[in-house]
Amino acid sequence: MASADSQPRFGQSVKGLLSDKVGSCGGDVIVLTRQVLKGSRSQELLGQAARNMVIQEDAILHSEDSLRKMSIITTHLQYQRPSRRSESKHNTLFMLQLTSLSHL
């Protein structure tokens, strides 16, 4: 009878160990799933960061182009400044002449 009593205990012991092992593997699967999801999220964040970087690079290139154009416009205005001063002097003289003519 001792062997009959030990048989169910051994079976229960194996079932308990198997249950513990299944629980442990289930926990490992959960941890692995979390790591995969975290890695997936990291990939998403890296992708978004790369897209943002491209957008910023385009904005920088556009700004650089605008500054280059503004520099050209500034140079042209500097060249035109002396002639504008001269025209302003002529306009002032012309206005003085008109004023003197109207007083006659």
Side-chain angles (χ1 to χ4, degrees):
M1 289 257 175
S3 70
D5 282 341
S6 67
Q7 195 76 10
R9 288 183 188 161
F10 177 73
Q12 289 173 350
S13 171
V14 169
K15 284 182 183 178
L17 289 173
L18 185 59
S19 176
D20 289 344
K21 195 65 171 171
V22 168
S24 173
C25 287
D28 291 344
V29 168
I30 290 171
V31 169
L32 179 62
T33 303
R34 285 181 183 155
Q35 288 296 323
V36 167
L37 291 174
K38 190 184 288 184
S40 174
R41 181 68 179 141
S42 295
Q43 284 296 93
E44 288 176 29
L45 292 174
L46 284 173
Q48 183 63 39
R51 286 188 291 276
N52 289 343
M53 221 163 101
V54 168
I55 290 169
Q56 289 298 321
E57 186 177 4
D58 286 344
I60 289 170
L61 291 174
H62 180 71
S63 296
E64 183 182 10
D65 188 47
S66 295
L67 284 172
R68 190 177 314 112
K69 289 176 183 177
M70 288 170 51
S71 174
I72 291 169
I73 290 169
T74 302
T75 302
H76 285 290
L77 289 173
Q78 286 174 347
Y79 286 136
Q80 293 175 2
R81 193 168 79 186
S83 66
R84 300 283 180 198
R85 283 186 183 164
S86 174
E87 288 174 9
S88 175
K89 286 179 186 177
H90 284 101
N91 286 341
T92 305
L93 290 173
F94 181 72
M95 291 303 289
L96 287 172
Q97 289 174 354
L98 280 177
T99 306
S100 69
L101 284 176
S102 64
H103 288 302
L104 291 176

XYZ file of all heavy atoms in Angstrom:
804
model
N 0.789 -1.169 0.000
C 0.000 0.000 0.000
C 0.846 1.253 0.000
O 0.377 2.295 -0.405
C -0.899 0.012 1.234
C -1.975 -0.974 1.193
S -3.387 -0.028 0.785
C -4.533 -1.249 0.622
N 2.049 1.142 0.468
C 2.915 2.305 0.506
C 3.181 2.801 -0.904
O 3.288 3.987 -1.138
C 4.222 1.971 1.220
N 3.300 1.859 -1.842
C 3.551 2.290 -3.214
C 2.298 2.918 -3.820
O 2.395 3.793 -4.651
C 4.036 1.125 -4.069
O 2.988 0.196 -4.279
N 1.132 2.507 -3.399
C -0.103 3.113 -3.899
C -0.238 4.534 -3.374
O -0.721 5.417 -4.066
C -1.306 2.273 -3.492
N 0.161 4.749 -2.104
C 0.103 6.103 -1.546
C 1.148 7.021 -2.182
O 0.915 8.195 -2.369
C 0.344 6.064 -0.031
C -0.906 5.608 0.725
O -2.002 5.682 0.112
O -0.761 5.203 1.875
N 2.306 6.485 -2.493
C 3.358 7.328 -3.065
C 3.052 7.694 -4.513
O 3.473 8.720 -4.987
C 4.722 6.641 -2.958
O 4.739 5.487 -3.789
N 2.326 6.843 -5.199
C 1.987 7.116 -6.603
C 1.159 8.395 -6.745
O 1.518 9.251 -7.525
C 1.228 5.903 -7.186
C 1.149 5.906 -8.690
C 2.459 5.489 -9.339
O 3.368 5.027 -8.671
N 2.568 5.675 -10.619
N 0.072 8.590 -6.015
C -0.683 9.832 -6.149
C 0.121 11.044 -5.696
O 0.029 12.112 -6.278
C -1.915 9.638 -5.269
C -2.065 8.161 -5.135
C -0.687 7.590 -5.237
N 0.919 10.870 -4.660
C 1.734 12.006 -4.205
C 2.746 12.407 -5.267
O 2.980 13.590 -5.487
C 2.460 11.651 -2.903
C 1.550 11.590 -1.737
C 2.319 11.312 -0.491
N 1.389 11.074 0.602
C 1.693 10.467 1.709
N 2.913 10.008 1.905
N 0.797 10.301 2.637
N 3.341 11.414 -5.894
C 4.308 11.702 -6.950
C 3.597 12.405 -8.110
O 4.089 13.385 -8.654
C 4.982 10.416 -7.428
C 5.940 10.638 -8.568
C 7.169 11.243 -8.352
C 5.601 10.263 -9.866
C 8.036 11.453 -9.394
C 6.469 10.471 -10.910
C 7.696 11.070 -10.674
N 2.417 11.942 -8.465
C 1.639 12.560 -9.536
C 1.248 13.973 -9.184
O 1.304 14.878 -10.018
N 0.846 14.189 -7.923
C 0.493 15.531 -7.493
C 1.722 16.426 -7.474
O 1.671 17.592 -7.830
C -0.171 15.490 -6.113
C -1.564 14.906 -6.142
C -2.122 14.723 -4.734
O -1.409 14.864 -3.746
N -3.402 14.382 -4.668
N 2.850 15.851 -7.070
C 4.097 16.617 -7.036
C 4.505 17.041 -8.449
O 4.910 18.167 -8.676
C 5.190 15.770 -6.387
O 6.436 16.395 -6.526
N 4.386 16.119 -9.404
C 4.730 16.428 -10.790
C 3.771 17.473 -11.341
O 4.167 18.420 -12.016
C 4.709 15.142 -11.647
C 4.797 15.477 -13.129
C 5.847 14.228 -11.261
N 2.487 17.327 -11.025
C 1.504 18.307 -11.480
C 1.806 19.679 -10.888
O 1.706 20.699 -11.569
C 0.093 17.879 -11.091
C -0.462 16.776 -11.938
C -1.883 16.451 -11.514
C -2.440 15.296 -12.307
N -3.793 14.935 -11.884
N 2.207 19.713 -9.630
C 2.550 20.984 -8.989
C 3.775 21.618 -9.631
O 3.804 22.825 -9.895
N 4.804 20.799 -9.876
C 6.014 21.313 -10.530
C 5.709 21.800 -11.942
O 6.201 22.844 -12.370
C 7.099 20.237 -10.570
C 7.744 19.899 -9.231
C 8.684 18.701 -9.391
C 8.510 21.090 -8.696
N 4.890 21.003 -12.631
C 4.519 21.379 -13.995
C 3.721 22.683 -13.983
O 3.949 23.566 -14.811
C 3.702 20.256 -14.639
C 3.348 20.442 -16.100
C 4.608 20.595 -16.947
C 2.532 19.271 -16.590
N 2.817 22.811 -13.027
C 2.023 24.029 -12.905
C 2.934 25.228 -12.609
O 2.773 26.302 -13.189
C 0.989 23.861 -11.802
O 0.276 25.051 -11.612
N 3.898 25.036 -11.715
C 4.848 26.112 -11.401
C 5.664 26.494 -12.640
O 5.898 27.679 -12.908
C 5.792 25.687 -10.278
C 5.104 25.602 -8.920
O 3.988 26.155 -8.795
O 5.687 24.986 -8.006
N 6.080 25.465 -13.382
C 6.888 25.711 -14.578
C 6.071 26.462 -15.638
O 6.568 27.403 -16.278
C 7.389 24.373 -15.144
C 8.483 24.511 -16.139
C 9.726 25.070 -15.497
C 10.881 25.001 -16.459
N 12.031 25.716 -15.953
N 4.804 26.058 -15.816
C 3.927 26.740 -16.770
C 3.721 28.186 -16.338
O 3.754 29.107 -17.155
C 2.577 25.996 -16.912
C 1.561 26.841 -17.662
C 2.782 24.664 -17.622
N 3.517 28.417 -15.055
C 3.354 29.778 -14.530
C 4.601 30.609 -14.767
O 4.523 31.773 -15.158
N 5.752 29.998 -14.542
C 7.020 30.696 -14.761
C 7.194 31.046 -16.238
O 7.601 32.163 -16.587
C 8.175 29.819 -14.282
O 9.410 30.393 -14.617
N 6.891 30.096 -17.125
C 7.003 30.346 -18.568
C 6.008 31.423 -18.993
O 6.323 32.270 -19.826
C 6.760 29.068 -19.352
S 8.120 27.898 -19.254
N 4.819 31.396 -18.418
C 3.830 32.431 -18.716
C 4.344 33.808 -18.329
O 4.177 34.778 -19.065
N 4.980 33.879 -17.162
C 5.577 35.148 -16.728
C 6.679 35.594 -17.666
O 6.797 36.783 -17.995
N 7.497 34.628 -18.125
C 8.566 34.951 -19.065
C 8.001 35.466 -20.392
O 8.546 36.395 -20.995
C 9.450 33.733 -19.321
C 10.285 33.355 -18.101
O 10.408 34.196 -17.182
O 10.812 32.218 -18.072
N 6.902 34.878 -20.839
C 6.261 35.326 -22.080
C 5.746 36.755 -21.914
O 5.887 37.590 -22.813
C 5.113 34.366 -22.483
C 4.258 34.970 -23.586
C 5.682 33.029 -22.931
N 5.197 37.058 -20.754
C 4.700 38.416 -20.496
C 5.858 39.416 -20.518
O 5.765 40.486 -21.123
C 3.934 38.464 -19.158
C 2.612 37.702 -19.297
C 3.672 39.903 -18.731
C 1.876 37.493 -17.981
N 6.957 39.068 -19.862
C 8.132 39.947 -19.841
C 8.673 40.141 -21.257
O 9.012 41.263 -21.665
C 9.221 39.366 -18.908
C 10.538 40.097 -19.081
C 8.764 39.430 -17.466
N 8.744 39.042 -22.018
C 9.226 39.123 -23.395
C 8.309 39.998 -24.244
O 8.781 40.837 -25.032
C 9.319 37.720 -24.007
C 9.786 37.639 -25.453
C 11.199 38.188 -25.585
C 9.718 36.205 -25.941
N 7.010 39.854 -24.065
C 6.049 40.675 -24.807
C 6.230 42.150 -24.477
O 6.211 43.010 -25.372
C 4.604 40.237 -24.483
O 4.465 38.852 -24.786
C 3.597 41.039 -25.267
N 6.426 42.459 -23.215
C 6.652 43.856 -22.819
C 7.912 44.414 -23.465
O 7.936 45.564 -23.918
C 6.746 43.965 -21.295
C 5.422 43.840 -20.602
C 5.561 43.987 -19.112
N 4.276 43.791 -18.455
C 4.130 43.396 -17.208
N 5.196 43.146 -16.459
N 2.938 43.250 -16.692
N 8.966 43.597 -23.500
C 10.214 44.048 -24.113
C 10.036 44.288 -25.611
O 10.555 45.265 -26.157
C 11.330 43.023 -23.870
C 11.833 42.975 -22.455
C 12.478 44.285 -22.053
O 13.142 44.951 -22.827
N 12.264 44.672 -20.800
N 9.296 43.421 -26.282
C 9.058 43.590 -27.715
C 8.254 44.864 -27.958
O 8.556 45.649 -28.862
C 8.330 42.355 -28.299
C 7.802 42.640 -29.701
C 9.274 41.161 -28.324
N 7.223 45.086 -27.133
C 6.418 46.297 -27.281
C 7.247 47.543 -27.005
O 7.119 48.558 -27.693
C 5.201 46.242 -26.353
C 4.131 45.210 -26.726
C 3.059 45.166 -25.654
C 3.539 45.504 -28.082
N 8.112 47.466 -25.994
C 8.973 48.603 -25.676
C 9.939 48.873 -26.839
O 10.172 50.021 -27.211
C 9.764 48.323 -24.399
C 10.511 49.531 -23.863
C 11.371 49.184 -22.655
C 10.520 48.931 -21.440
N 11.346 48.694 -20.242
N 10.476 47.802 -27.418
C 11.363 47.956 -28.577
C 10.628 48.539 -29.759
O 11.150 49.386 -30.486
N 9.383 48.110 -29.958
C 8.566 48.643 -31.046
C 8.315 50.130 -30.827
O 8.391 50.931 -31.759
C 7.243 47.883 -31.112
O 6.389 48.460 -32.057
N 8.014 50.512 -29.601
C 7.781 51.923 -29.275
C 9.063 52.726 -29.497
O 9.022 53.846 -30.002
C 7.304 52.045 -27.814
C 7.005 53.448 -27.393
C 5.796 54.019 -28.088
N 5.557 55.363 -27.605
C 5.175 56.354 -28.350
N 4.930 56.158 -29.625
N 4.988 57.548 -27.849
N 10.190 52.143 -29.137
C 11.467 52.824 -29.358
C 11.689 53.059 -30.852
O 12.148 54.130 -31.255
C 12.621 52.005 -28.788
O 12.525 51.919 -27.394
N 11.356 52.069 -31.663
C 11.502 52.215 -33.108
C 10.592 53.324 -33.631
O 10.987 54.109 -34.484
C 11.164 50.893 -33.815
C 12.259 49.851 -33.714
C 13.516 50.296 -34.410
O 14.409 50.871 -33.800
N 13.594 50.045 -35.689
N 9.367 53.388 -33.105
C 8.448 54.450 -33.509
C 9.023 55.820 -33.158
O 8.981 56.754 -33.959
C 7.100 54.288 -32.814
C 6.266 53.135 -33.320
C 4.978 52.989 -32.521
O 4.473 53.999 -32.010
O 4.484 51.857 -32.426
N 9.557 55.937 -31.949
C 10.119 57.215 -31.512
C 11.331 57.601 -32.355
O 11.504 58.768 -32.706
C 10.489 57.151 -30.030
C 9.316 57.050 -29.057
C 9.816 56.855 -27.629
C 8.432 58.277 -29.150
N 12.167 56.621 -32.679
C 13.329 56.910 -33.522
C 12.889 57.343 -34.917
O 13.470 58.267 -35.504
C 14.236 55.679 -33.616
C 15.083 55.391 -32.392
C 15.803 54.055 -32.558
C 16.091 56.498 -32.156
N 11.867 56.688 -35.443
C 11.345 57.076 -36.757
C 10.797 58.486 -36.742
O 11.036 59.275 -37.660
N 10.050 58.816 -35.698
C 9.486 60.168 -35.575
C 10.603 61.198 -35.442
O 10.548 62.272 -36.029
C 8.542 60.244 -34.370
C 7.856 61.587 -34.212
C 6.951 61.923 -35.380
O 6.270 61.059 -35.907
N 6.953 63.171 -35.790
N 11.634 60.865 -34.665
C 12.768 61.787 -34.505
C 13.469 62.009 -35.846
O 13.859 63.140 -36.171
C 13.748 61.237 -33.469
N 13.607 60.959 -36.629
C 14.242 61.097 -37.948
C 13.396 61.980 -38.860
O 13.934 62.838 -39.569
C 14.445 59.722 -38.580
N 12.066 61.788 -38.837
C 11.191 62.638 -39.662
C 11.281 64.092 -39.219
O 11.348 65.004 -40.049
C 9.747 62.132 -39.583
C 9.508 60.850 -40.384
C 8.037 60.473 -40.448
N 7.497 60.050 -39.177
C 7.570 58.830 -38.669
N 8.188 57.880 -39.362
N 7.039 58.538 -37.507
N 11.296 64.325 -37.917
C 11.413 65.696 -37.402
C 12.733 66.322 -37.820
O 12.796 67.520 -38.109
C 11.264 65.711 -35.881
C 9.850 65.438 -35.425
O 8.907 65.537 -36.199
N 9.694 65.079 -34.170
N 13.784 65.528 -37.820
C 15.087 66.043 -38.220
C 15.085 66.473 -39.687
O 15.642 67.515 -40.051
C 16.157 64.980 -37.985
C 17.439 65.517 -37.419
S 18.429 64.220 -36.728
C 19.571 63.987 -38.029
N 14.446 65.680 -40.535
C 14.350 66.025 -41.958
C 13.568 67.326 -42.126
O 13.952 68.201 -42.911
C 13.699 64.869 -42.749
C 13.329 65.307 -44.155
C 14.636 63.676 -42.795
N 12.482 67.467 -41.369
C 11.679 68.695 -41.446
C 12.516 69.899 -41.019
O 12.494 70.951 -41.673
C 10.410 68.555 -40.578
C 9.452 67.546 -41.209
C 9.725 69.903 -40.392
C 8.304 67.149 -40.307
N 13.272 69.748 -39.931
C 14.118 70.846 -39.459
C 15.209 71.169 -40.468
O 15.529 72.340 -40.686
C 14.750 70.487 -38.104
C 13.773 70.467 -36.969
C 13.137 71.814 -36.745
O 13.778 72.856 -36.843
N 11.847 71.813 -36.469
N 15.763 70.148 -41.092
C 16.805 70.380 -42.090
C 16.242 71.162 -43.275
O 16.886 72.095 -43.776
C 17.381 69.042 -42.563
C 18.562 69.190 -43.496
C 19.156 67.858 -43.903
O 18.615 66.809 -43.532
O 20.169 67.878 -44.595
N 15.036 70.813 -43.706
C 14.395 71.554 -44.795
C 14.156 73.012 -44.397
O 14.367 73.923 -45.202
C 13.064 70.903 -45.175
C 13.244 69.604 -45.943
O 14.368 69.360 -46.433
O 12.260 68.837 -46.044
N 13.717 73.221 -43.162
C 13.483 74.595 -42.686
C 14.789 75.384 -42.663
O 14.820 76.564 -43.034
C 12.840 74.572 -41.299
N 15.858 74.753 -42.238
C 17.168 75.419 -42.195
C 17.629 75.772 -43.608
O 18.115 76.881 -43.854
C 18.207 74.537 -41.470
C 17.884 74.487 -39.977
C 19.626 75.036 -41.705
C 18.685 73.455 -39.206
N 17.460 74.841 -44.551
C 17.858 75.118 -45.935
C 17.021 76.256 -46.527
O 17.542 77.117 -47.238
C 17.719 73.855 -46.787
C 18.713 72.735 -46.476
C 18.375 71.485 -47.284
C 20.141 73.177 -46.742
N 15.727 76.273 -46.232
C 14.862 77.351 -46.714
C 15.291 78.693 -46.113
O 15.348 79.706 -46.819
C 13.406 77.046 -46.362
C 12.455 78.090 -46.814
N 12.138 78.280 -48.142
C 11.758 79.028 -46.128
C 11.291 79.270 -48.250
N 11.031 79.749 -47.040
N 15.616 78.690 -44.821
C 16.074 79.918 -44.162
C 17.388 80.393 -44.763
O 17.592 81.598 -44.970
C 16.248 79.682 -42.660
O 15.019 79.385 -42.060
N 18.274 79.470 -45.048
C 19.558 79.824 -45.651
C 19.343 80.470 -47.027
O 19.966 81.484 -47.354
C 20.421 78.576 -45.789
C 21.804 78.824 -46.343
C 22.610 77.545 -46.503
O 22.042 76.451 -46.369
O 23.817 77.664 -46.772
N 18.422 79.902 -47.803
C 18.111 80.461 -49.111
C 17.521 81.866 -48.977
O 17.894 82.783 -49.723
C 17.127 79.537 -49.844
C 16.896 79.947 -51.281
O 17.888 80.220 -51.988
O 15.719 79.992 -51.685
N 16.624 82.056 -48.018
C 16.027 83.377 -47.784
C 17.083 84.387 -47.379
O 17.070 85.543 -47.838
C 14.953 83.290 -46.698
O 13.877 82.498 -47.127
N 18.009 83.998 -46.515
C 19.083 84.913 -46.099
C 19.975 85.294 -47.274
O 20.400 86.451 -47.393
C 19.916 84.268 -44.992
C 19.281 84.250 -43.612
C 20.118 83.403 -42.648
C 19.126 85.648 -43.069
N 20.239 84.339 -48.143
C 21.059 84.629 -49.325
C 20.352 85.661 -50.209
O 20.971 86.624 -50.678
C 21.319 83.341 -50.100
C 22.349 83.489 -51.189
C 22.683 82.188 -51.921
N 22.907 81.066 -51.028
C 22.099 79.988 -50.930
N 21.035 79.891 -51.685
N 22.372 79.007 -50.100
N 19.044 85.484 -50.406
C 18.275 86.438 -51.216
C 18.241 87.806 -50.556
O 18.350 88.842 -51.231
C 16.855 85.916 -51.428
C 16.796 84.732 -52.369
C 15.380 84.182 -52.472
C 15.335 82.962 -53.364
N 13.975 82.375 -53.417
N 18.068 87.846 -49.248
C 18.054 89.122 -48.530
C 19.397 89.825 -48.645
O 19.456 91.060 -48.748
C 17.681 88.899 -47.060
C 16.217 88.553 -46.875
S 15.752 87.998 -45.233
C 16.408 89.231 -44.180
N 20.461 89.074 -48.636
C 21.795 89.660 -48.783
C 21.946 90.303 -50.167
O 22.513 91.400 -50.296
C 22.856 88.577 -48.581
O 24.132 89.076 -48.838
N 21.436 89.649 -51.188
C 21.502 90.209 -52.547
C 20.687 91.503 -52.627
O 21.137 92.510 -53.190
C 20.999 89.168 -53.573
C 21.995 88.010 -53.671
C 20.780 89.797 -54.946
C 21.485 86.811 -54.448
N 19.496 91.482 -52.029
C 18.649 92.681 -52.032
C 19.330 93.825 -51.291
O 19.324 94.981 -51.741
C 17.271 92.362 -51.412
C 16.480 91.445 -52.346
C 16.484 93.634 -51.133
C 15.226 90.868 -51.720
N 19.966 93.523 -50.163
C 20.679 94.541 -49.388
C 21.806 95.153 -50.209
O 21.998 96.375 -50.213
C 21.237 93.936 -48.088
O 20.172 93.379 -47.343
C 21.963 94.954 -47.250
N 22.534 94.322 -50.916
C 23.625 94.813 -51.761
C 23.077 95.751 -52.840
O 23.632 96.827 -53.084
C 24.370 93.636 -52.411
O 24.867 92.789 -51.385
C 25.522 94.112 -53.274
N 21.963 95.355 -53.470
C 21.364 96.214 -54.506
C 20.903 97.548 -53.920
O 21.103 98.605 -54.533
C 20.185 95.506 -55.182
C 20.591 94.443 -56.136
N 21.203 94.706 -57.339
C 20.477 93.094 -56.059
C 21.450 93.574 -57.958
N 21.023 92.572 -57.211
N 20.309 97.508 -52.752
C 19.861 98.753 -52.116
C 21.039 99.655 -51.750
O 20.943 100.881 -51.865
C 19.021 98.442 -50.876
C 17.637 97.855 -51.143
C 16.979 97.440 -49.837
C 16.771 98.852 -51.895
N 22.139 99.063 -51.345
C 23.322 99.866 -51.018
C 23.875 100.548 -52.274
O 24.369 101.671 -52.212
C 24.390 98.998 -50.353
C 24.047 98.630 -48.928
C 25.042 97.642 -48.328
O 25.852 97.037 -49.019
N 24.961 97.475 -47.014
N 23.813 99.834 -53.406
C 24.259 100.449 -54.654
C 23.341 101.592 -55.069
O 23.781 102.582 -55.648
C 24.315 99.417 -55.791
C 25.479 98.462 -55.708
C 25.299 97.106 -55.932
C 26.768 98.917 -55.422
C 26.362 96.215 -55.867
C 27.838 98.041 -55.354
C 27.631 96.697 -55.577
O 28.670 95.829 -55.507
N 22.055 101.462 -54.785
C 21.084 102.466 -55.204
C 21.031 103.669 -54.265
O 20.539 104.727 -54.637
C 19.685 101.846 -55.296
C 19.543 100.823 -56.379
C 18.182 100.140 -56.352
O 17.333 100.476 -55.538
N 17.998 99.170 -57.242
N 21.544 103.546 -53.070
C 21.434 104.607 -52.074
C 22.026 105.943 -52.539
O 21.377 106.979 -52.401
C 22.043 104.150 -50.753
C 21.686 105.057 -49.598
C 22.040 104.432 -48.297
N 23.476 104.582 -48.062
C 24.115 104.032 -47.057
N 23.479 103.274 -46.204
N 25.395 104.214 -46.901
N 23.239 105.966 -53.083
C 23.784 107.270 -53.509
C 22.917 107.953 -54.573
O 22.711 109.177 -54.525
C 25.164 106.934 -54.075
C 25.529 105.632 -53.450
C 24.235 104.916 -53.239
N 22.386 107.172 -55.509
C 21.561 107.796 -56.546
C 20.243 108.286 -55.954
O 19.718 109.315 -56.385
C 21.307 106.818 -57.699
O 20.516 105.745 -57.268
N 19.723 107.607 -54.967
C 18.488 108.061 -54.302
C 18.730 109.373 -53.563
O 17.879 110.253 -53.560
C 17.967 107.003 -53.313
C 17.627 105.686 -53.906
C 16.302 105.770 -54.608
N 16.011 104.459 -55.183
C 15.156 104.267 -56.114
N 14.482 105.277 -56.604
N 14.961 103.079 -56.605
N 19.886 109.510 -52.940
C 20.212 110.769 -52.254
C 20.286 111.916 -53.257
O 19.806 113.009 -53.013
C 21.544 110.636 -51.509
C 21.437 109.877 -50.222
C 22.753 109.910 -49.484
N 22.654 109.111 -48.271
C 23.690 108.699 -47.584
N 24.906 109.003 -47.998
N 23.534 107.994 -46.502
N 20.915 111.600 -54.389
C 21.041 112.627 -55.431
C 19.662 113.038 -55.942
O 19.382 114.228 -56.114
C 21.892 112.085 -56.574
O 21.920 112.969 -57.641
N 18.793 112.039 -56.162
C 17.432 112.346 -56.615
C 16.684 113.162 -55.566
O 15.932 114.074 -55.901
C 16.662 111.046 -56.900
C 17.123 110.327 -58.143
C 16.439 108.986 -58.305
O 15.491 108.684 -57.545
O 16.852 108.226 -59.205
N 16.923 112.861 -54.324
C 16.262 113.593 -53.249
C 16.707 115.052 -53.251
O 15.888 115.967 -53.071
C 16.587 112.939 -51.914
O 16.051 113.680 -50.858
N 17.987 115.295 -53.464
C 18.489 116.672 -53.525
C 17.869 117.415 -54.704
O 17.475 118.564 -54.584
C 20.006 116.683 -53.639
C 20.707 116.317 -52.355
C 22.217 116.337 -52.550
C 22.909 115.838 -51.296
N 24.366 115.770 -51.472
N 17.787 116.742 -55.845
C 17.195 117.364 -57.022
C 15.720 117.678 -56.789
O 15.233 118.740 -57.197
C 17.350 116.464 -58.255
C 18.719 116.460 -58.821
N 19.605 115.445 -58.576
C 19.373 117.353 -59.619
C 20.743 115.688 -59.188
N 20.641 116.851 -59.835
N 15.028 116.780 -56.135
C 13.609 117.013 -55.829
C 13.446 118.214 -54.896
O 12.536 119.026 -55.065
C 12.967 115.782 -55.202
C 12.722 114.667 -56.198
O 12.696 114.919 -57.401
N 12.553 113.455 -55.710
N 14.339 118.319 -53.928
C 14.278 119.454 -53.002
C 14.505 120.758 -53.758
O 13.780 121.751 -53.552
C 15.314 119.285 -51.878
O 15.107 118.042 -51.233
C 15.235 120.413 -50.870
N 15.503 120.786 -54.634
C 15.774 121.986 -55.431
C 14.587 122.316 -56.340
O 14.198 123.481 -56.472
C 17.036 121.806 -56.269
C 18.363 121.776 -55.498
C 19.514 121.420 -56.442
C 18.619 123.130 -54.851
N 14.018 121.275 -56.926
C 12.863 121.486 -57.798
C 11.692 122.071 -57.023
O 11.012 122.986 -57.492
C 12.479 120.150 -58.457
C 11.334 120.249 -59.397
C 11.475 120.875 -60.631
C 10.092 119.731 -59.059
C 10.407 120.977 -61.501
C 9.025 119.829 -59.922
C 9.186 120.444 -61.156
N 11.446 121.570 -55.829
C 10.355 122.072 -54.989
C 10.616 123.531 -54.602
O 9.691 124.353 -54.579
C 10.180 121.208 -53.727
C 9.639 119.818 -54.004
S 8.066 119.834 -54.855
C 7.001 120.420 -53.585
N 11.858 123.872 -54.326
C 12.201 125.259 -54.005
C 11.938 126.179 -55.194
O 11.410 127.289 -55.046
C 13.648 125.368 -53.549
C 13.973 124.820 -52.157
C 15.471 124.831 -51.928
C 13.273 125.665 -51.104
N 12.297 125.698 -56.361
C 12.064 126.475 -57.571
C 10.564 126.665 -57.814
O 10.104 127.772 -58.179
C 12.713 125.821 -58.786
C 14.224 125.901 -58.778
C 14.828 125.109 -59.936
O 14.119 124.421 -60.660
N 16.150 125.202 -60.080
N 9.793 125.610 -57.619
C 8.339 125.719 -57.788
C 7.730 126.695 -56.787
O 6.857 127.497 -57.141
C 7.663 124.351 -57.627
C 7.690 123.414 -58.812
C 7.040 122.087 -58.448
C 6.958 124.026 -59.984
N 8.226 126.643 -55.578
C 7.716 127.542 -54.547
C 8.047 128.988 -54.911
O 7.202 129.879 -54.762
C 8.319 127.180 -53.166
O 8.086 125.821 -52.898
C 7.752 128.036 -52.070
N 9.256 129.223 -55.383
C 9.650 130.593 -55.738
C 8.855 131.082 -56.943
O 8.499 132.254 -57.035
C 11.135 130.674 -55.987
O 11.478 129.981 -57.153
N 8.521 130.194 -57.880
C 7.730 130.566 -59.041
C 6.284 130.887 -58.646
O 5.667 131.786 -59.204
C 7.718 129.465 -60.089
C 8.989 129.308 -60.927
C 8.862 128.115 -61.840
C 9.231 130.567 -61.745
N 5.793 130.176 -57.701
C 4.395 130.409 -57.306
C 4.250 131.722 -56.536
O 3.183 132.282 -56.473
C 3.868 129.237 -56.475
O 4.559 129.131 -55.269
N 5.347 132.230 -55.959
C 5.291 133.487 -55.231
C 5.380 134.684 -56.169
O 5.126 135.803 -55.774
C 6.424 133.572 -54.189
C 6.185 132.665 -53.027
N 5.075 132.721 -52.229
C 6.939 131.663 -52.495
C 5.152 131.813 -51.295
N 6.299 131.146 -51.431
N 5.709 134.472 -57.362
C 5.825 135.587 -58.308
C 4.533 136.028 -58.780
O 3.560 136.233 -58.927
C 6.675 135.184 -59.526
C 8.132 134.971 -59.255
C 8.789 134.496 -60.544
C 8.809 136.227 -58.754
